[in-house]
Amino acid sequence: MLPKKVKIVEVGARDGLQNESRAATVAVRVELIRLLAAAGLTSIEAGSFVSAERVPQMANSDAVLKALLADSEATVAGDSNAVAHPVEYPVEYPVLVPNLRGLDAALQAGAKHIAVFAAASEAFSRKNINCGVDESIERFAAVAERALASNLRVRGYVSCALGCPYQGEVATAEVARVAGLLRDLGCYEISLGDTTGVGTPGKARAMLERVAEVVPVEQLAAHFHDTFGQALANIYAALQVGVRVVDTAVAGLGGCPFAPGAAGNAATEDVVYMLDGLGIDSGVDLSKLRFAADFICAKLERPNYSKAAVALANRS
Amino acid sequence: MLPKKVKIVEVGARDGLQNESRAATVAVRVELIRLLAAAGLTSIEAGSFVSAERVPQMANSDAVLKALLADSEATVAGDSNAVAHPVEYPVEYPVLVPNLRGLDAALQAGAKHIAVFAAASEAFSRKNINCGVDESIERFAAVAERALASNLRVRGYVSCALGCPYQGEVATAEVARVAGLLRDLGCYEISLGDTTGVGTPGKARAMLERVAEVVPVEQLAAHFHDTFGQALANIYAALQVGVRVVDTAVAGLGGCPFAPGAAGNAATEDVVYMLDGLGIDSGVDLSKLRFAADFICAKLERPNYSKAAVALANRS
């Protein structure tokens, strides 16, 4: 039994761009996100309030967010002339927040929606954010508390949900435990990340079924990278267990920092093509998505990593 | 319920190479196939007895086949010094045969195994082989009859099983009808080809379930191209309905003649990686497969289109 509707959370402008070697300017990031919204995407990660020294590609995420929120206000006010690509529906612009300082900056920029993150792998957590899993959850508890008090929506990420580049196997019970902790912090949705794309459909299914014992499947998202070419099969397996939210990146933006040259996020175009074929409504217009993909690929001078996009471009 | 074992039919040296712009020499094709056999592949398409004018990449398939059959004889005779990469198990080397003339040539080269083909699309059949579907089946009836009388094994292909580049939709009933006709000619296995890779998992499943009403699922093979990035998801769907034979091409050799620059066959490495993760035995050693992939990619001066191969190369 597949879901009838799936929400795509477009992460190309954050998880994607932060793993591209070439940084995009604020203007390019804003235009990319506007084009993504115009293609029907209603949840688009807009940036990350991490240290610009650590992730220079995400510098000035405040400026990106402010521009987008100004769009929203102009749209609500009916001033469509002020908006490059007006859309008729509300668009969420979550931003990644690593700590209280990041939250303050996000709030100052007007953020209404943040994402926090923890790993299901102790080894990954220590390498990535220099503290253990439980300590990271404690830190995010303070972030989530203040964010919720400010009426923000808080999304949670669990990385290494299907394996870890340092410790290898990750127990599904640990993924479920960390997902449960993030839900308890007040996250409305938990995105389960196959950070290095090592998962295969049977493991994806087993992991999701185990996590769904703790967090209802309606609150889970599949965030599967395509490093080993498995993302679409894994997403199909996720749909089969009832997952209704899928994270993707237009043009397959990004890559895998643990495997240089390897593929990153599942390409939005490939996933939308699959959903269209399955008769699942995502609200995304594949032909309009091409404008966003062509735009960012030209700016970054890189090919489109979506096979569906390449095939459709050849067909037309 | 997934199968415990899956047979991979390696088509890189035929369906793959015939769609590469650069032709490989006989020596390269023989060495490629030897390396594929050494990696554990037991069914490897070795060539095609079509007109060398029409498909120059497959010229001299007789010489390729003769070299491989000499390997087999030397192996059976225990003369392992005579074989570059001796394998301990019997390997099938099917060759594509379009007509009686091709069959004669294949027989002269010592072929023990041939493949014949028909389309599930009338438009495709007329464009591709200049005759309608039923007329093509009649032609192949004579080929199959003589082949079977010569104790050859005969495999059948149905192309456009999930869609046609000329007529668009293809009815599952027509795929089932053509598959049944090929089975009636004496084909021991029917390989259902998504020739242009347009299929998605739900359509793959529906098509296979419909065909399995006519030809038992044990006799069906999934031959799904990755043009739209859907191959692995479609193969996973095929495994779920009980398909136990999958056609793939090492390094994703080939391409789509109807979409220049687009991806071709599902990459063997990606499929083996998925099967390994699913706990399904294919008998193929992913690390040895790399020798075959690296060899042919170097000879053709092209990248490896398998994402799993690229990720594994980065890891090691």
Side-chain angles (χ1 to χ4, degrees):
Chain A
M1 284 302 298
L2 296 170
K4 296 214 184 312
K5 285 189 76 160
V6 159
K7 182 173 91 173
I8 290 189
V9 176
E10 169 62 45
V11 299
R14 199 277 303 171
D15 196 19
L17 289 184
Q18 79 174 31
N19 286 308
E20 291 285 335
S21 51
R22 185 176 290 214
T25 64
V26 166
V28 166
R29 286 148 70 191
V30 170
E31 178 67 3
L32 168 63
I33 294 170
R34 285 174 173 161
L35 289 168
L36 291 166
L41 287 151
T42 56
S43 190
I44 308 172
E45 275 198 332
S48 177
F49 287 82
V50 293
S51 141
E53 268 174 40
R54 232 191 125 184
V55 188
Q57 298 95 329
M58 288 294 106
N60 306 311
S61 282
D62 55 340
V64 173
L65 187 58
K66 279 179 189 167
L68 297 169
L69 295 173
D71 281 3
S72 298
E73 280 169 29
T75 302
V76 169
D79 183 9
S80 63
N81 290 330
V83 183
H85 310 286
V87 291
E88 301 297 315
Y89 38 81
V91 179
E92 300 170 337
Y93 300 112
V95 289
L96 203 70
V97 160
N99 49 34
L100 283 170
R101 188 147 46 125
L103 176 61
D104 285 338
L107 284 168
Q108 275 207 320
K112 298 183 170 64
H113 201 136
I114 65 165
V116 298
F117 52 94
S121 152
E122 191 69 17
F124 187 87
S125 186
R126 291 191 182 281
K127 287 252 188 188
N128 191 41
I129 55 173
N130 219 9
C131 72
V133 172
D134 289 330
E135 192 186 335
S136 77
I137 297 281
E138 275 171 45
R139 287 190 199 171
F140 281 120
V143 173
E145 190 177 11
R146 197 189 294 174
L148 293 168
S150 305
N151 289 317
L152 267 56
R153 301 187 78 204
V154 183
R155 191 174 199 244
Y157 277 112
V158 180
S159 56
C160 298
L162 290 171
C164 168
Y166 307 117
Q167 76 179 47
E169 295 284 316
V170 169
T172 58
E174 181 62 7
V175 184
R177 186 182 78 87
V178 175
L181 290 172
L182 286 175
R183 190 266 324 268
D184 292 345
L185 296 190
C187 294
Y188 69 95
E189 186 170 279
I190 312 295
S191 177
L192 300 156
D194 183 10
T195 312
T196 51
V198 293
T200 40
K203 289 176 184 170
R205 185 183 186 111
M207 181 274 289
L208 290 164
E209 285 175 338
R210 181 69 185 80
V211 176
E213 292 172 15
V214 177
V215 180
V217 73
E218 296 78 20
Q219 290 177 256
L220 300 180
H223 181 107
F224 295 160
H225 284 214
D226 202 30
T227 324
F228 288 77
Q230 310 292 309
L232 254 74
N234 294 346
I235 290 169
Y236 181 57
L239 298 176
Q240 290 184 316
V241 298
V243 168
R244 300 170 198 179
V245 184
V246 180
D247 298 359
T248 63
V250 67
L253 281 181
C256 179
F258 310 100
N265 287 283
T268 308
E269 297 96 312
D270 292 354
V271 173
V272 171
Y273 183 89
M274 181 171 78
L275 294 173
D276 284 351
L278 290 166
I280 296 173
D281 176 22
S282 69
V284 181
D285 182 323
L286 199 44
S287 60
K288 290 186 184 166
L289 203 50
R290 272 179 67 185
F291 297 119
D294 288 350
F295 169 77
I296 192 64
C297 289
K299 290 293 179 191
L300 298 179
E301 295 182 355
R302 71 187 295 278
N304 190 326
Y305 293 159
S306 156
K307 289 180 177 170
V310 172
L312 289 169
N314 274 302
R315 188 192 268 179
S316 58
Chain B
M1 287 299 300
L2 296 170
K4 296 214 184 315
K5 286 188 75 160
V6 158
K7 181 172 92 171
I8 291 188
V9 176
E10 169 63 44
V11 300
R14 199 278 303 169
D15 196 19
L17 289 184
Q18 80 175 30
N19 286 309
E20 290 284 336
S21 51
R22 186 176 290 215
T25 64
V26 166
V28 165
R29 286 149 68 190
V30 170
E31 178 67 4
L32 168 63
I33 293 169
R34 284 173 173 161
L35 289 167
L36 291 167
L41 286 152
T42 57
S43 190
I44 308 172
E45 275 198 332
S48 178
F49 287 83
V50 292
S51 142
E53 267 173 42
R54 230 190 126 183
V55 187
Q57 299 95 328
M58 290 293 106
N60 305 312
S61 283
D62 55 340
V64 173
L65 187 59
K66 279 179 188 166
L68 297 169
L69 296 173
D71 282 3
S72 298
E73 279 169 30
T75 302
V76 169
D79 184 8
S80 63
N81 289 331
V83 183
H85 310 284
V87 291
E88 301 296 317
Y89 40 80
V91 179
E92 300 170 338
Y93 301 113
V95 289
L96 203 69
V97 160
N99 49 35
L100 283 169
R101 187 145 49 124
L103 176 61
D104 286 338
L107 284 168
Q108 275 208 320
K112 298 181 170 62
H113 202 136
I114 64 164
V116 298
F117 52 94
S121 151
E122 191 69 17
F124 187 87
S125 186
R126 292 194 180 276
K127 286 255 187 186
N128 191 42
I129 56 174
N130 219 9
C131 72
V133 172
D134 289 329
E135 192 186 334
S136 77
I137 297 279
E138 275 172 44
R139 289 192 198 169
F140 281 120
V143 173
E145 188 178 13
R146 196 189 295 173
L148 293 168
S150 307
N151 289 317
L152 266 56
R153 301 187 78 206
V154 183
R155 190 172 199 245
Y157 277 111
V158 180
S159 56
C160 300
L162 290 171
C164 168
Y166 308 116
Q167 77 179 48
E169 296 284 317
V170 171
T172 58
E174 181 62 6
V175 185
R177 186 182 79 88
V178 175
L181 290 171
L182 287 175
R183 191 265 326 268
D184 293 344
L185 296 190
C187 294
Y188 69 96
E189 186 170 279
I190 312 296
S191 178
L192 299 156
D194 182 10
T195 311
T196 50
V198 293
T200 39
K203 289 176 184 171
R205 183 183 188 113
M207 181 274 289
L208 290 163
E209 286 175 338
R210 180 68 186 81
V211 176
E213 292 173 15
V214 176
V215 180
V217 73
E218 297 77 20
Q219 289 177 257
L220 300 180
H223 181 108
F224 294 160
H225 284 212
D226 201 30
T227 323
F228 288 77
Q230 311 293 310
L232 254 74
N234 294 346
I235 291 169
Y236 180 58
L239 298 175
Q240 289 184 317
V241 297
V243 169
R244 301 170 197 178
V245 184
V246 180
D247 298 359
T248 64
V250 67
L253 280 181
C256 179
F258 309 100
N265 287 282
T268 308
E269 296 97 311
D270 292 353
V271 174
V272 171
Y273 183 90
M274 180 170 79
L275 294 173
D276 285 352
L278 290 167
I280 297 173
D281 177 22
S282 69
V284 181
D285 182 323
L286 199 45
S287 60
K288 289 186 184 166
L289 202 50
R290 271 179 67 184
F291 297 119
D294 289 351
F295 169 77
I296 192 64
C297 288
K299 291 293 180 191
L300 298 180
E301 296 182 353
R302 73 191 287 282
N304 190 325
Y305 293 159
S306 156
K307 289 181 177 171
V310 172
L312 289 169
N314 275 303
R315 189 193 266 179
S316 59

